[in-house]
Structure formats: structure tokens, C-alpha cells
């Protein structure tokens, strides 16, 4: 495999003909040719990634077949570019090939996309991607020896299968990022397959690869989500803040020209135009390197690297703030002509403000810089209509400080959670919080969000740049909730936070309570039925089951307090420990589990039956002493208790039962 360390922000790329004007400068021509050669060399892998992301249900055999077809297509066009089929645009060629696969569109339910054409078809394929991949089987795990033998027998097939599995589970990760991941997997396989302790080698070397994939995935989804939901203005604001902090000595005019390249790149990347995306990225990096004297002295070595590597190097670089750069730019708060300058060109004026504020405040997060800009814009609108505008906007710095102080307090509270709770309790805190806010999300999505919050706090809360680090990473978690698709909907409150104001969505989420529109399922769906598979589970697998149990319990009983939910989880852990140590684990689980028959559809309580309230933590099973069969129980839930209604209109509580000779209390069930 050749030059797989291509990194940057590109969503789809391909080969074939160009839709952009060809470069004329010698350096630009060289960049163009090198990038084109990279694409041509990796057509097979690129096809696998793109098809697996478009149609996640597709089998490896189907994906491999398309990769073979597209490689043959490449060879035909390289041999004779005048062939009619070689004049098609890249995405058009790929999507036509996918739609032409016999029976595949119908089998995987995307034939509606194939019935469209042009831009509509491209967007249809893009929006057909599913963020929640719970419908896919677990990622296959192989014994290290088997893995190494497969790699040695056919490294290309091994890598193709690997990138297929990773791509279909990460449908919004940009193709170059996945190619970089594949390159690192190849390096890992080469190294670890020569080691004696292969398993430990794979385990250690996989960690940074997974971290790399998660980091780029979150950023790419967040930025594309912002672009597709809020448009190019927000995208430009994000990059004004990022680039001004990264390269603070860059002049505003130079930054503006760079932003034009950024905008054209994302216009293609986020909407799925492969050629525009890859060429836009190449053009952007060439632009930066051609002006390195005026942009940054730190990127000289980066620009000497080959195109696939130079982008990654530039993205990771950061210049120091010029020593003569004052902390405050007075022309935006003390200039008498602020309103006149703003009214002359509001977009340029606000871009200049964000540029000047960002380059002076490298300690702030990107979201906080966008909040400051929003506050400035809103207050300036008021001040410029006031009787004395200069008096009004002269106090702007105080407003900026108030905004940052509010954001800082949010971060401090989160880091206090980190300090006061252990790692597991911190995770459970966020499982409960996210599930109550957005119970419509899948269990997998909710556990992922909780884990990402823990990772953010573990990463940042001990650093000197704690605020910016936490705020940036938590913003990415919120981006995961809001998603890439502008039509994504969860519930009214969450949708409001995701769609109303990009800069302040973190503050919006902070004050969300449990979703009031959510209707819990009427049955436990097996939540309280346990089996001996819990005893066979390894530590990590058992922990995942505990995590899922807690999230599903919140979905079932969202009115329970955090303390009650944690107590329930403790009871579950104790139950597993008890039954797995018992002589007959299955019998123990059968005896202790709360069966689904106790969660039957609700029926009205008879008029002559006086309800008795049973605490949620003391649910129990009742058996008939004659038939030993469970009677249906009707549940009427309140925040703290359940009304238990027996078939015979006998109502019981734990430890107390209304007078009856036909029923007996067998045991208390402490599941929470």
C-alpha cells in the first residue's frame, strides 16, 4: 500500500477527471499530479471505504466486488481517457456502479437513491448513512495468531476486510482519516506479528489508533454538522477562530484568502463531492505553504513533506502569539466610529473582531470565542440604536468577561465531578444525565456519549489549559448528540439546543431537564431477566452489560432519582456476584429475576380494591401456593412507587400482605 498517511478534512475522494480548473503554476501542477497519483494508487481501498459508508449493510463480498470493478474502470480510463464512460464525475461514476449491482439496491433498501439523479442522488446516499450502528453485528475478534497468519497469507485482503469493518461502523469519518488508520493498522500488524507476545503488542498499539480515529471522527462530524445545519457563515467563524489562534501573526487579508479555500473545501467535503473535496484540501495546504513567511515560521518542515503528510503536519502545528500583540483591541470598544464601520459591511466587521479577539486569546476554546463574537454582535445591534452608542459599547469587555465566567463555571463543575467521583461513578453520572435528557437515543449511543464525557474530563481536568480543553472536547460530545444530518430529530428540547444557536448550544444543554415528552416502554423487555452468560463474561464485557443495564433502567423508569438508580445498579452487581458464586447459577437467576410477566399491559384497578403503594426498590414476585404460577401484576407508577394489583384483587407490599389465604409472599426482589 502506498502513501496511506493522508490526513485532513476530506469526506470522499476518488480519481478520474477534474471538474475544477487545472493548475498553471509549476508548484501547483506538482501538487496536482502527486495527489492524483495517490488517488489512482488507492482506488480499491477508497471504493471499499465509500461503499461501506454509503451502504453499511453491504457484505464484504459485495464491497470487494465493487472495488474490483472500479479498479478495472480506473485501468480502462488510464489507458484511454477519451472513452465516453471516463467523462463522468467521480461520485456519479461510483454511485452508478453501486446502483448497477444486480439486486443490491433492493436488498439493502437504497433503490430510492438510485431512482434520483445528480445532486439529489448524492445527498440521498449521504443521508442514507446511519450514525447508530447497533444494527451491525459485533466487530469480529480474531486470535492474534490467526490474525497474523491471515495478514501473511494475503495482506491486501486482510487490510481490505479491516477497513471495511471500520468504515461501516464510522460512516461519517473522512476517507483520508480511514486510510491513515489502515496504514497504522498495517504498521501494527507488521510489528506485532514478529513479536512473541502478539496479543499484548496488538493491545498496546491499538490504543493510539483508536484515539486518533475517535478524535478526527468527532471533529469532522461536528464541523460538518455545523455547516449543514447553520451554513457557511458558522463554518467561516469556526475557522477564523481556529486559524487565528493557530497562526496569530497572519494578517487579516491573508486569513480571508485562506478562508475562501476552506469554504470551497468543506462545500465539497460535507456534501460528498469527492473531487472538489480532495482538490480543495490540496489547494488549501499549497496556499498556506506558499505564504509561510507571513503565516507561520513553524510550518517550514511541514511544507517540505509530501502532500499526504504535510497536511497532517500543518494541522497539528501552532505558532506563538507575537510579543507585541496587546491583550485588548480598543478599536472595537473605544472607537467612536464603531457603528459606522459595522454598518458599512457587517460580515467583514464581525470577521475582523473574531480574528483580533481569537489571536489575542489562545487560552480560550473555539466555542467560547464564538460565544464572545455572538455577544458582541447582539450587544452592538442594541448599542448602535441607542442614544449614545460609544457609552453603550464601552462596557463590552465586562460582558465578554461575564460570558467567559459563566462558561468557566460550567467547566469547573464538571471537573469537580471528576475530582469527587471515581471513574465508574463519573461515567454513571453521565449515563443517567444523557439518558434522561435524550432517552430516544439508542442504548449504544448513550453509553458512547457517557464514555466520551469521561474521556474528555480525564484528559483535560488536570491540565493548565483545563478550560479550553474541556470546552472543546465537550462541544464535540454535543456534536455527537446533534449529529451531521440537519434533519435529525430527538425530542423538542434537544432539537432546540441543536438548531437554535451553535455557539451557545453547550449552555443550552447545561440547563436541560429530563425530557417531558418521553413515554417509557410499558414492559421491561427482559431487563430484569438474567442468565449465566453474565458469569462467563470477561471484565470488560460484564462492565458493558452493567452500563447497558443502567441506561435501559433509566429509559424504563426516568422518574427515579440518581441515588435510586445507582442503588439499583449496586443491587444488580450484587445479584450477579451472588448467583455466579451459587452452586446453580441459572436457578439462582431464575429465582431472583423479575420476569416480564410482571410488566403486563395496564388495566384499571377495580373500584373495591384499595391501592397499597410499594416502593420501587422493593418489587417482588408472588406465587400461588396451589399452582405456583405468576399472576399478572398491574403497575400504576408514581415518582417513588408502584401500585401492585393482583388478579384476585389482593394488594400486597413487601413484608405486608392484605388478608388472603390463597397467596404468599415468596421473597423480596431488590433490583432497584
Amino acid at each position: 500500500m502506498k502513501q496511506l498517511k493522508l490526513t485532513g478534512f476530506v469526506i470522499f475522494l476518488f480519481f478520474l477527471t477534474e471538474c475544477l480548473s487545472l493548475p498553471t503554476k509549476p508548484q501547483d501542477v506538482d501538487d496536482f499530479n502527486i495527489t492524483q497519483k495517490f488517488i489512482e494508487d488507492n482506488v480499491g481501498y477508497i471504493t471499499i471505504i465509500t461503499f461501506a459508508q454509503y451502504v453499511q449493510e453491504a457484505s464484504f463480498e459485495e464491497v470487494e466486488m465493487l472495488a474490483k470493478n472500479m479498479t478495472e474502470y480506473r485501468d480502462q480510463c488510464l489507458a484511454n481517457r477519451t472513452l465516453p464512460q471516463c467523462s463522468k464525475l467521480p461520485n456519479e461514476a461510483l454511485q452508478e456502479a453501486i446502483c448497477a449491482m444486480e439486486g443490491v439496491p433492493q436488498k439493502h433498501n437504497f433503490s430510492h437513491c438510485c431512482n434520483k439523479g445528480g445532486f439529489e442522488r448524492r445527498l440521498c446516499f449521504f443521508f442514507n448513512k446511519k450514525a447508530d450502528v447497533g444494527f451491525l453485528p459485533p466487530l469480529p475478534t480474531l486470535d492474534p495468531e490467526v490474525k497474523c497468519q491471515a495478514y501473511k497469507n494475503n495482506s491486501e485482503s486482510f487490510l481490505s476486510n479491516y477497513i471495511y469493518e471500520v468504515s461501516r461502523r464510522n460512516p461519517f469519518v473522512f476517507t483520508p482519516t480511514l486510510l491513515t488508520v489502515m496504514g497504522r493498522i498495517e504498521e501494527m500488524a507488521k510489528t506485532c506479528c514478529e513479536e512473541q507476545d502478539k496479543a499484548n503488542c496488538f493491545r498496546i498499539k491499538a490504543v493510539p489508533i483508536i484515539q486518533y480515529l475517535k478524535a478526527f471522527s468527532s471533529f469532522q462530524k461536528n464541523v460538518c454538522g455545523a455547516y449543514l445545519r447553520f451554513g457557511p457563515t458558522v463554518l467561516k467563524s469556526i475557522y477564523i477562530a481556529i486559524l487565528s489562534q493557530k497562526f496569530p501573526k497572519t494578517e487579516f487579508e491573508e486569513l480571508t484568502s485562506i478562508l475562501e479555500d476552506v469554504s470551497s473545501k468543506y462545500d465539497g467535503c460535507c456534501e460528498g463531492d469527492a473531487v472538489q473535496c480532495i482538490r480543495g484540501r490540496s489547494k488549501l495546504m499549497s496556499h498556506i505553504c506558499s505564504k509561510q513567511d507571513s503565516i507561520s515560521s513553524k510550518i517550514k518542515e511541514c511544507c517540505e513533506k509530501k502532500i499526504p503528510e504535510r497536511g497532517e503536519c500543518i494541522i497539528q502545528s501552532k505558532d506563538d502569539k507575537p510579543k507585541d500583540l496587546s491583550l485588548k483591541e480598543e478599536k472595537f470598544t473605544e472607537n467612536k466610529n464603531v457603528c459606522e464601520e459595522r454598518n458599512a459591511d457587517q460580515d467583514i466587521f464581525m470577521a475582523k473582531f473574531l480574528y483580533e479577539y481569537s489571536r489575542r486569546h489562545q487560552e480560550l476554546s473555539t466555542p467560547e470565542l464564538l460565544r464572545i463574537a455572538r455577544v458582541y454582535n447582539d450587544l452592538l445591534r442594541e448599542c448602535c440604536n441607542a442614544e449614545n452608542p460609544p457609552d453603550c459599547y464601552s462596557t463590552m469587555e465586562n460582558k465578554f468577561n461575564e460570558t467567559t465566567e459563566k462558561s468557566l463555571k460550567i467547566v469547573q463543575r464538571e471537573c469537580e465531578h471528576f475530582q469527587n467521583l471515581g471513574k465508574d461513578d463519573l461515567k454513571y453520572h453521565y449515563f443517567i444525565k444523557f439518558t434522561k435528557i435524550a432517552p430516544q437515543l439508542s442504548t449504544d449511543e448513550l453509553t458512547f456519549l457517557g464514555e466520551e464525557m469521561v474521556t474528555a474530563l480525564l484528559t483535560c481536568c488536570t491540565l493548565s489549559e483545563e478550560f479550553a480543553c474541556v470546552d472543546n472536547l465537550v462541544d464535540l460530545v454535543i456534536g455527537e448528540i446533534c449529529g451531521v444530518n440537519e434533519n435529525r430529530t430527538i425530542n423538542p428540547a434537544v432539537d432546540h439546543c441543536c438548531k437554535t444557536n451553535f455557539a451557545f448550544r453547550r449552555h443550552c444543554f447545561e440547563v436541560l431537564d429530563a425530557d417531558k415528552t418521553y413515554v417509557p416502554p410499558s414492559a421491561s423487555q427482559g431487563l430484569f431477566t438474567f442468565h449465566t452468560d453474565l458469569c462467563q463474561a470477561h471484565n470488560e464485557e460484564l462492565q458493558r452489560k452493567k452500563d447497558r443495564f443502567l441506561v435501559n433502567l433509566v429509559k424504563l423508569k426516568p422518574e427515579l432519582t440518581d441515588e435510586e438508580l445507582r442503588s439499583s445498579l449496586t443491587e444488580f452487581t450484587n445479584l450477579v456476584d451472588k448467583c455466579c458464586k451459587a452452586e446453580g447459577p441459572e436457578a439462582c437467576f431464575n429465582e431472583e429475576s423479575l420476569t416480564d410477566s410482571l410488566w403486563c399491559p395496564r388495566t384499571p384497578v377495580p373500584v373495591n380494591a384499595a391501592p397499597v403503594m410499594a416502593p420501587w426498590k422493593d418489587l417482588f414476585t408472588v406465587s400461588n401456593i396451589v399452582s405456583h404460577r405468576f399472576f399478572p401484576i398491574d403497575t400504576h407508577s408514581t415518582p417513588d412507587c408502584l401500585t401492585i394489583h393482583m388478579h384476585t384483587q389482593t394488594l400486597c407490599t413487601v413484608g405486608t400482605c392484605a388478608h388472603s389465604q390463597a397467596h404468599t409472599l415468596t421473597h423480596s426482589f431488590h433490583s432497584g
Side-chain angles (χ1 to χ4, degrees), residues 405-663:
E405 188 63 31
K406 184 176 180 180
S407 300
L408 182 60
K409 285 181 179 177
I410 295 174
V411 169
Q412 287 172 338
R413 280 198 300 270
E414 286 164 339
C415 284
E416 283 174 10
H417 287 317
F418 164 75
Q419 299 291 347
N420 298 332
L421 301 173
K423 183 178 178 182
D424 284 343
D425 283 339
L426 184 67
K427 180 175 63 175
Y428 300 147
H429 168 79
Y430 286 108
F431 284 168
I432 294 170
K433 179 178 180 178
F434 285 133
T435 306
K436 287 191 174 186
I437 289 172
Q440 296 83 0
L441 295 178
S442 72
T443 302
D444 286 338
E445 287 178 296
L446 290 164
T447 54
F448 172 77
L449 291 170
E451 289 164 355
E452 289 300 287
M453 277 297 300
V454 171
T455 299
L457 300 184
L458 286 174
T459 301
C460 303
C461 285
T462 56
L463 299 178
S464 57
E465 61 271 23
E466 173 186 284
F467 171 66
C469 182
V470 172
D471 204 38
N472 279 326
L473 291 188
V474 173
D475 186 62
L476 298 184
V477 176
I478 292 173
E480 294 281 359
I481 297 174
C482 295
V484 176
N485 191 336
E486 60 186 316
N487 299 320
R488 176 178 169 96
T489 181
I490 298 171
N491 62 53
V494 170
D495 294 346
H496 171 79
C497 289
C498 288
K499 297 176 181 179
T500 303
N501 188 317
F502 181 78
F504 279 93
R505 63 183 185 175
R506 173 124 150 81
H507 289 207
C508 184
F509 269 94
E510 186 65 18
V511 297
L512 285 186
D513 294 320
D515 177 30
K516 293 179 175 60
T517 68
Y518 176 66
V519 179
S522 59
S524 64
Q525 301 172 339
L527 178 61
F528 300 114
T529 303
F530 312 119
H531 298 287
T532 55
D533 62 320
L534 290 168
C535 303
Q536 276 86 53
H538 296 297
N539 289 340
E540 288 184 8
E541 185 184 354
L542 181 59
Q543 184 60 56
R544 281 195 296 271
K545 290 178 182 292
K546 288 171 61 177
D547 295 347
R548 292 177 64 83
F549 173 84
L550 178 58
V551 169
N552 287 329
L553 182 59
V554 181
K555 284 177 174 244
L556 188 66
K557 298 295 297 179
E559 73 273 14
L560 296 182
T561 65
D562 288 16
E563 292 73 20
E564 288 171 322
L565 290 163
R566 286 170 186 257
S567 176
S568 301
L569 184 62
T570 301
E571 295 288 352
F572 169 69
T573 303
N574 293 339
L575 173 66
V576 173
D577 186 57
K578 172 186 173 182
C579 287
C580 289
K581 290 178 180 177
E583 288 187 10
E586 188 67 33
C588 177
F589 281 125
N590 287 338
E591 182 183 350
E592 296 289 343
S593 294
L594 182 63
T595 67
D596 283 340
S597 63
L598 298 177
W599 289 85
C600 60
R602 297 178 180 181
T603 55
V605 177
V607 176
N608 61 346
V612 181
M613 309 309 287
W616 164 251
K617 287 183 62 181
D618 294 319
L619 286 173
F620 57 92
T621 59
V622 179
S623 66
N624 184 283
I625 58 173
V626 177
S627 65
H628 298 287
R629 292 176 62 84
F630 286 113
F631 284 96
I633 290 181
D634 180 38
T635 59
H636 297 264
S637 58
T638 69
D640 298 309
C641 53
L642 299 172
T643 299
I644 310 301
H645 169 226
M646 299 305 298
H647 239 293
T648 59
Q649 301 175 14
T650 301
L651 296 154
C652 304
T653 61
V654 174
T656 304
C657 189
H659 180 69
S660 173
Q661 295 180 341
H663 296 78

Side-chain angles (χ1 to χ4, degrees), residues 374-391:
R374 179 60 183 257
V375 167
Y376 182 64
N377 189 42
D378 290 347
L379 290 175
L380 208 56
R381 189 181 297 116
E382 294 179 15
C383 290
C384 290
N385 290 318
E387 187 174 338
N388 191 331
D391 282 352

Side-chain angles (χ1 to χ4, degrees), residues 66 69-70 73 91-102 121:
L66 182 68
N69 293 342
M70 297 310 293
Y73 185 26
N91 269 356
E92 180 187 358
L94 175 61
Q95 290 174 0
E96 281 192 6
I98 293 173
C99 290
M101 297 179 75
E102 188 175 354
R121 177 191 279 181

